[in-house]
Amino acid sequence: MAGNSSAIRVAVDQSSIDFQFARDVVEGLSRRSKSLPCRYLYDARGSELFERITSLPEYYPTRTEAEIFRHNAVQLTAPIAGGDFFVEFGSGSSIKTELLLAQLPADVTYMPIDVSQTALDEAVERLRMRFPGLKVTPLIADFSDVSEWPLVLGRRRPTLFFPGSTIGNLHPAEASALLSRWRAALPQGARLIIGVDLRKGLDRLLPAYNDAQGVTAAFNLNLLVRINRELHANFDLGRFAHEAIYDPRYGRIEMHLISKARQTVTVCGRSFDFNLGEGIHTENSYKYNISDFQELARLAGWKTLSVLKDGNDDFSVHELETFVAPGRDEPAFL
Ligand SMILES: C[S@@+](CC[C@H](N)C(=O)[O-])C[C@H]1O[C@@H](n2cnc3c(N)ncnc32)[C@H](O)[C@@H]1O
């Protein structure tokens, strides 16, 4: 797959991924409370498992957000004109995106950006067949690194698309920093369409991250498979268990991998001790109230144009636009 990839490799070449991955894993496992960055969940197998999660009966976010796009696709895409850029961050399979792509005028450039090359390659192949008139220019990159954005994004007024509540994987302070960074790299009037999962009862939240078929468990445990394969580690998968809990202090679901025994694991030649019941924190998924998210976005330089929700108030889609707060200068374009 990698040999005939259609995606442009810009932000990260393979050697830097390996080095960065090794450094992040060793650093994360050396902490008193062990943790790993959640973007590493998405290797080829991880992306495949995530796709399976999106169609599980317990996993409400994907189908709810898709329903919002289905009902509002015309409104959301109306400001996009021929020649514009439509840029998606953390695009994965781009399946939900098709609902919006179907409404775009000819000659729009769709730029899916993701760290998962296999997910990008499969999505691009499918989209080029389904939408022959669309220009698809994929980019393998970390969406938080604006220095890797093509210059064209700063010169035009692109529409950015960030669905899937991927913003919820970040601590609110990190989410705010990310939105500020994006805002500073864009001209006034650029739009961001962003999916944000909403707070709700534990009877809905917990099963969404701990499904009956065990697909989410396999997704979480696959991180250890990846570390074993890429970093010469010896995690015994039978000695770790998936756990999803809700922390009401932060309004977030946490995923952990819990050690089922006292054990020592070797990664990159370094030993890491685990006590019985000790966990590795692998992912957060913050849930927001609409007004809290709007305030976070406003402080980061984004004003709300509209907020769309499903009938049960399970999920929200915010249409935001860059603005300059009074007394602040318009940031320099890229
Ligand atoms: C929760 S999934 C959402 C996928 C898809 N957008 C959806 O709504 O179903 C997160 C996606 O973001 C990608 N991703 C995670 N962290 C990333 C990063 N820092 N830079 C680029 N892509 C990232 C993952 O590979 C994955 O495809």
Side-chain angles (χ1 to χ4, degrees), residues 39 42 47 50-51 54 62 65 88-93 96 113-116 141-144 163-164 166 169:
R39 68 178 179 281
Y42 296 92
S47 295
F50 179 75
E51 268 325 292
T54 62
T62 304
E65 189 181 32
E88 178 170 359
F89 297 111
S91 49
S93 70
K96 267 178 305 193
I113 300 180
D114 205 289
V115 285
S116 174
D142 184 332
F143 54 57
S144 56
T166 304
N169 294 144

Short mmCIF file of all heavy atoms in Angstrom, two decimals, residues 39 42 47 50-51 54 62 65 88-93 96 113-116 141-144 163-164 166 169, ligand 1:
data_model
loop_
_atom_site.label_atom_id
_atom_site.label_comp_id
_atom_site.label_asym_id
_atom_site.label_seq_id
_atom_site.Cartn_x
_atom_site.Cartn_y
_atom_site.Cartn_z
N ARG A 39 -3.21 9.67 19.33
CA ARG A 39 -3.08 9.59 17.87
C ARG A 39 -2.39 8.29 17.45
O ARG A 39 -2.55 7.83 16.32
CB ARG A 39 -2.37 10.80 17.29
CG ARG A 39 -0.91 10.92 17.65
CD ARG A 39 -0.31 12.15 16.95
NE ARG A 39 1.09 12.33 17.27
CZ ARG A 39 1.54 12.86 18.41
NH1 ARG A 39 0.68 13.27 19.33
NH2 ARG A 39 2.83 12.98 18.64
N TYR A 42 -4.06 5.01 15.84
CA TYR A 42 -4.50 4.90 14.44
C TYR A 42 -3.39 4.44 13.50
O TYR A 42 -2.95 5.17 12.62
CB TYR A 42 -5.07 6.25 13.97
CG TYR A 42 -6.31 6.64 14.72
CD1 TYR A 42 -6.23 7.43 15.86
CD2 TYR A 42 -7.57 6.20 14.32
CE1 TYR A 42 -7.37 7.77 16.57
CE2 TYR A 42 -8.71 6.54 15.02
CZ TYR A 42 -8.60 7.32 16.15
OH TYR A 42 -9.72 7.65 16.85
N SER A 47 -7.11 2.10 12.44
CA SER A 47 -8.08 2.83 11.62
C SER A 47 -9.21 1.89 11.19
O SER A 47 -10.39 2.28 11.15
CB SER A 47 -7.40 3.41 10.37
OG SER A 47 -6.46 4.38 10.75
N PHE A 50 -11.40 1.35 14.14
CA PHE A 50 -12.22 2.53 14.42
C PHE A 50 -13.42 2.57 13.48
O PHE A 50 -14.54 2.89 13.88
CB PHE A 50 -11.41 3.83 14.31
CG PHE A 50 -12.29 5.03 14.57
CD1 PHE A 50 -12.68 5.34 15.87
CD2 PHE A 50 -12.78 5.81 13.53
CE1 PHE A 50 -13.55 6.41 16.12
CE2 PHE A 50 -13.64 6.87 13.77
CZ PHE A 50 -14.02 7.17 15.07
N GLU A 51 -13.21 2.21 12.21
CA GLU A 51 -14.33 2.18 11.26
C GLU A 51 -15.41 1.21 11.72
O GLU A 51 -16.59 1.47 11.59
CB GLU A 51 -13.84 1.77 9.87
CG GLU A 51 -13.46 2.91 8.98
CD GLU A 51 -14.32 4.15 9.16
OE1 GLU A 51 -15.52 4.13 8.83
OE2 GLU A 51 -13.79 5.14 9.66
N THR A 54 -17.52 2.74 14.42
CA THR A 54 -18.50 3.76 14.01
C THR A 54 -19.85 3.18 13.62
O THR A 54 -20.84 3.90 13.60
CB THR A 54 -17.97 4.61 12.82
OG1 THR A 54 -17.76 3.73 11.71
CG2 THR A 54 -16.70 5.33 13.17
N THR A 62 -21.22 8.72 15.50
CA THR A 62 -21.06 8.78 14.04
C THR A 62 -22.40 8.88 13.33
O THR A 62 -22.60 9.75 12.47
CB THR A 62 -20.28 7.54 13.54
OG1 THR A 62 -19.04 7.49 14.22
CG2 THR A 62 -20.03 7.62 12.04
N GLU A 65 -24.05 12.35 14.07
CA GLU A 65 -23.43 13.46 13.34
C GLU A 65 -23.78 13.35 11.84
O GLU A 65 -24.07 14.36 11.19
CB GLU A 65 -21.91 13.43 13.54
CG GLU A 65 -21.22 14.66 13.00
CD GLU A 65 -19.70 14.60 13.20
OE1 GLU A 65 -19.15 13.49 13.16
OE2 GLU A 65 -19.09 15.66 13.38
N GLU A 88 -10.24 18.83 5.46
CA GLU A 88 -10.72 18.05 6.60
C GLU A 88 -9.55 17.57 7.45
O GLU A 88 -8.58 16.98 6.95
CB GLU A 88 -11.54 16.84 6.13
CG GLU A 88 -12.01 16.00 7.32
CD GLU A 88 -13.03 14.92 6.95
OE1 GLU A 88 -13.42 14.83 5.76
OE2 GLU A 88 -13.43 14.18 7.88
N PHE A 89 -9.64 17.76 8.76
CA PHE A 89 -8.59 17.32 9.69
C PHE A 89 -9.00 16.02 10.36
O PHE A 89 -10.13 15.90 10.86
CB PHE A 89 -8.37 18.39 10.77
CG PHE A 89 -7.89 19.69 10.21
CD1 PHE A 89 -8.70 20.80 10.20
CD2 PHE A 89 -6.62 19.79 9.66
CE1 PHE A 89 -8.26 22.00 9.68
CE2 PHE A 89 -6.17 20.98 9.13
CZ PHE A 89 -7.00 22.09 9.13
N GLY A 90 -8.09 15.04 10.39
CA GLY A 90 -8.41 13.74 11.00
C GLY A 90 -9.52 13.08 10.20
O GLY A 90 -10.49 12.58 10.75
N SER A 91 -9.33 13.04 8.88
CA SER A 91 -10.43 12.66 7.97
C SER A 91 -10.75 11.17 8.02
O SER A 91 -11.88 10.79 7.70
CB SER A 91 -10.05 13.05 6.54
OG SER A 91 -8.74 12.58 6.24
N GLY A 92 -9.80 10.31 8.40
CA GLY A 92 -10.07 8.87 8.47
C GLY A 92 -10.64 8.37 7.16
O GLY A 92 -10.08 8.59 6.09
N SER A 93 -11.80 7.70 7.23
CA SER A 93 -12.39 7.10 6.03
C SER A 93 -13.12 8.13 5.14
O SER A 93 -13.48 7.81 4.02
CB SER A 93 -13.42 6.04 6.44
OG SER A 93 -14.54 6.69 7.03
N LYS A 96 -18.53 10.02 6.24
CA LYS A 96 -19.55 11.03 6.52
C LYS A 96 -19.38 12.25 5.61
O LYS A 96 -20.36 12.91 5.25
CB LYS A 96 -19.40 11.53 7.96
CG LYS A 96 -20.23 10.80 8.98
CD LYS A 96 -19.96 11.35 10.35
CE LYS A 96 -18.49 11.29 10.67
NZ LYS A 96 -18.17 11.52 12.08
N ILE A 113 -6.71 15.49 5.61
CA ILE A 113 -5.43 15.45 6.32
C ILE A 113 -5.54 14.44 7.46
O ILE A 113 -6.48 14.51 8.26
CB ILE A 113 -5.08 16.85 6.89
CG1 ILE A 113 -4.95 17.87 5.76
CG2 ILE A 113 -3.79 16.80 7.71
CD1 ILE A 113 -4.61 19.29 6.22
N ASP A 114 -4.61 13.52 7.52
CA ASP A 114 -4.66 12.50 8.59
C ASP A 114 -3.25 11.95 8.81
O ASP A 114 -2.40 12.04 7.93
CB ASP A 114 -5.61 11.35 8.19
CG ASP A 114 -6.18 10.63 9.40
OD1 ASP A 114 -5.41 9.91 10.09
OD2 ASP A 114 -7.39 10.79 9.68
N VAL A 115 -3.03 11.36 9.99
CA VAL A 115 -1.75 10.69 10.24
C VAL A 115 -1.76 9.24 9.75
O VAL A 115 -0.72 8.60 9.69
CB VAL A 115 -1.38 10.68 11.75
CG1 VAL A 115 -0.90 12.05 12.20
CG2 VAL A 115 -2.52 10.18 12.62
N SER A 116 -2.96 8.72 9.44
CA SER A 116 -3.06 7.32 9.04
C SER A 116 -3.03 7.19 7.52
O SER A 116 -4.01 7.52 6.83
CB SER A 116 -4.37 6.72 9.59
OG SER A 116 -4.54 5.42 9.09
N ALA A 141 -0.28 14.34 7.60
CA ALA A 141 0.29 15.37 8.46
C ALA A 141 -0.41 15.36 9.81
O ALA A 141 -1.50 14.81 9.96
CB ALA A 141 0.14 16.74 7.81
N ASP A 142 0.24 15.97 10.77
CA ASP A 142 -0.35 16.18 12.09
C ASP A 142 -1.16 17.47 12.00
O ASP A 142 -0.61 18.53 11.68
CB ASP A 142 0.78 16.31 13.12
CG ASP A 142 0.26 16.44 14.54
OD1 ASP A 142 -0.86 16.94 14.73
OD2 ASP A 142 0.99 16.03 15.46
N PHE A 143 -2.46 17.38 12.28
CA PHE A 143 -3.29 18.57 12.07
C PHE A 143 -2.95 19.72 13.02
O PHE A 143 -3.37 20.85 12.83
CB PHE A 143 -4.79 18.25 12.11
CG PHE A 143 -5.28 17.53 13.34
CD1 PHE A 143 -5.12 18.02 14.61
CD2 PHE A 143 -5.97 16.32 13.18
CE1 PHE A 143 -5.62 17.35 15.72
CE2 PHE A 143 -6.47 15.63 14.29
CZ PHE A 143 -6.28 16.15 15.57
N SER A 144 -2.18 19.44 14.06
CA SER A 144 -1.87 20.52 15.00
C SER A 144 -0.68 21.36 14.52
O SER A 144 -0.41 22.41 15.08
CB SER A 144 -1.58 19.95 16.40
OG SER A 144 -0.55 19.00 16.32
N PRO A 163 -14.79 16.90 11.89
CA PRO A 163 -15.93 16.17 12.47
C PRO A 163 -15.48 15.10 13.45
O PRO A 163 -14.29 15.01 13.80
CB PRO A 163 -16.55 15.53 11.23
CG PRO A 163 -15.38 15.24 10.35
CD PRO A 163 -14.38 16.33 10.60
N GLY A 164 -16.43 14.30 13.91
CA GLY A 164 -16.10 13.11 14.72
C GLY A 164 -15.80 13.41 16.17
O GLY A 164 -15.38 12.54 16.91
N THR A 166 -13.32 14.78 17.24
CA THR A 166 -11.89 14.56 17.49
C THR A 166 -11.35 15.66 18.40
O THR A 166 -10.41 15.43 19.17
CB THR A 166 -11.13 14.49 16.14
OG1 THR A 166 -11.74 13.46 15.34
CG2 THR A 166 -9.67 14.15 16.33
N ASN A 169 -10.83 14.75 21.97
CA ASN A 169 -9.67 13.97 22.43
C ASN A 169 -8.64 14.85 23.13
O ASN A 169 -7.72 14.36 23.76
CB ASN A 169 -8.99 13.24 21.27
CG ASN A 169 -9.87 12.16 20.66
OD1 ASN A 169 -9.84 11.94 19.46
ND2 ASN A 169 -10.67 11.49 21.47
C1 LIG B 1 -12.05 9.93 16.06
S1 LIG B 1 -11.34 9.55 14.48
C2 LIG B 1 -12.45 10.49 13.45
C3 LIG B 1 -12.43 10.01 12.01
C4 LIG B 1 -13.43 10.73 11.11
N1 LIG B 1 -13.12 12.16 10.99
C5 LIG B 1 -14.83 10.58 11.63
O1 LIG B 1 -15.44 11.59 11.95
O2 LIG B 1 -15.30 9.45 11.72
C6 LIG B 1 -9.88 10.54 14.53
C7 LIG B 1 -9.09 10.60 13.21
O3 LIG B 1 -8.09 11.60 13.36
C8 LIG B 1 -6.83 11.09 12.98
N2 LIG B 1 -5.87 11.78 13.84
C9 LIG B 1 -5.74 11.68 15.20
N3 LIG B 1 -4.81 12.53 15.65
C10 LIG B 1 -4.33 13.20 14.55
C11 LIG B 1 -3.37 14.23 14.36
N4 LIG B 1 -2.71 14.76 15.39
N5 LIG B 1 -3.16 14.69 13.11
C12 LIG B 1 -3.84 14.17 12.04
N6 LIG B 1 -4.77 13.19 12.16
C13 LIG B 1 -5.02 12.72 13.39
C14 LIG B 1 -6.90 9.59 13.20
O4 LIG B 1 -6.00 8.88 12.38
C15 LIG B 1 -8.37 9.32 12.85
O5 LIG B 1 -8.52 9.06 11.47
#
